[in-house]
Amino acid sequence: MNTVRRSDERGFADHGWLKSFHTFSFADYFDPKHVEFGPLRVINEDRVQAGAGFGTHGHRDMEIVSYVLEGELAHKDSMGNGSTIRPGDVQRMSAGSGVRHSEFNPSPSAGVHFLQIWIQPNARHIEPSYEESRFEPAEKRGRLRLIVSPDRADGSLLIHQDAKIYAGLFDADEHADLTVEPGRKIYVHVARGTVNANGSALAAGDALKITDGSRLTIDHGRQAEVLVFDLPGNPH
């Protein structure tokens, strides 16, 4: 079964310094039909104005992935990590038994546009950890490049869940196929541009959920950037 969810169906919060679209129930936005999708718990599309950010706060038992689309995002955490990620960089933090961190837009003039993704882990109270890696546009051009996995396959970042995240860039006649294994579910999120996924026309912020299909086909892209989540069929 293929189900489309449009961008304007998401929750939205405007805090002035932060404008955020919530794919799933988050903070003051609650929709009982959109709480999670398997272990995928959060996809927040955040825009943070210059010089602003999220002050130091805590997380526990969550896999947190940051994917920058435009601008820069500075990260500091209680494990001693500190770095600034830019488009092409992917960051993964396992909160585990507990971690505190901050996220800040260091630019004095430009905003930052990024996706914050939370995936529920398959083990609780693990030791917190952090890593980041860069995936150049050429690696994602016209294909689905594995960027997060449970086994670091193909140089991907490690996640403590039976889940994979792919990223792809698509224009014109570029296309990609992904086999959906039995018992798995797929979530396609269009970060920008337009693209077809299994024949459904999707624009930025739109999503496609596949719950019992056998294949995902992505084609007819126009300046499209897409994230694909391959998830276990059971809740966690």
Side-chain angles (χ1 to χ4, degrees), residues 24 35-41 120 161 185 231-236:
F24 301 104
V35 175
E36 60 191 21
F37 188 69
L40 179 58
R41 180 61 187 84
Q120 299 170 81
Q161 177 56 267
K185 56 177 63 176
L231 303 161
N234 58 314
H236 304 302

Side-chain angles (χ1 to χ4, degrees), residues 12-20 22 45-49 52 54 114:
F12 178 69
D14 186 347
H15 300 285
W17 63 273
L18 165 69
K19 292 178 173 57
S20 182
H22 307 317
E45 181 185 354
D46 291 341
R47 287 178 171 84
V48 177
Q49 70 181 23
F54 303 88
F114 70 103

Side-chain angles (χ1 to χ4, degrees), residues 29-46:
Y29 165 64
F30 178 73
D31 182 341
K33 296 180 180 179
H34 300 285
V35 175
E36 60 191 21
F37 188 69
L40 179 58
R41 180 61 187 84
V42 169
I43 303 177
N44 284 350
E45 181 185 354
D46 291 341

Side-chain angles (χ1 to χ4, degrees), residues 52-135:
F54 303 88
T56 301
H57 58 283
H59 293 283
R60 187 181 300 272
D61 290 326
M62 194 65 70
E63 303 290 294
I64 301 172
V65 176
S66 298
Y67 188 98
V68 178
L69 296 166
E70 293 179 278
E72 301 180 338
L73 184 68
H75 165 96
K76 291 184 179 179
D77 64 46
S78 55
M79 295 176 282
N81 299 298
S83 67
T84 299
I85 60 173
R86 300 169 178 85
D89 296 330
V90 182
Q91 177 188 95
R92 185 272 303 166
M93 185 177 73
S94 296
S97 57
V99 68
R100 294 180 63 78
H101 80 136
S102 63
E103 294 168 298
F104 187 76
N105 178 2
S107 172
S109 58
V112 61
H113 180 198
F114 70 103
L115 299 177
Q116 184 168 120
I117 298 156
W118 295 7
I119 294 178
Q120 299 170 81
N122 55 15
R124 297 173 62 83
H125 310 308
I126 62 175
E127 182 179 355
S129 61
Y130 170 92
E131 64 178 332
E132 64 181 67
S133 188
R134 181 164 185 80
F135 300 91

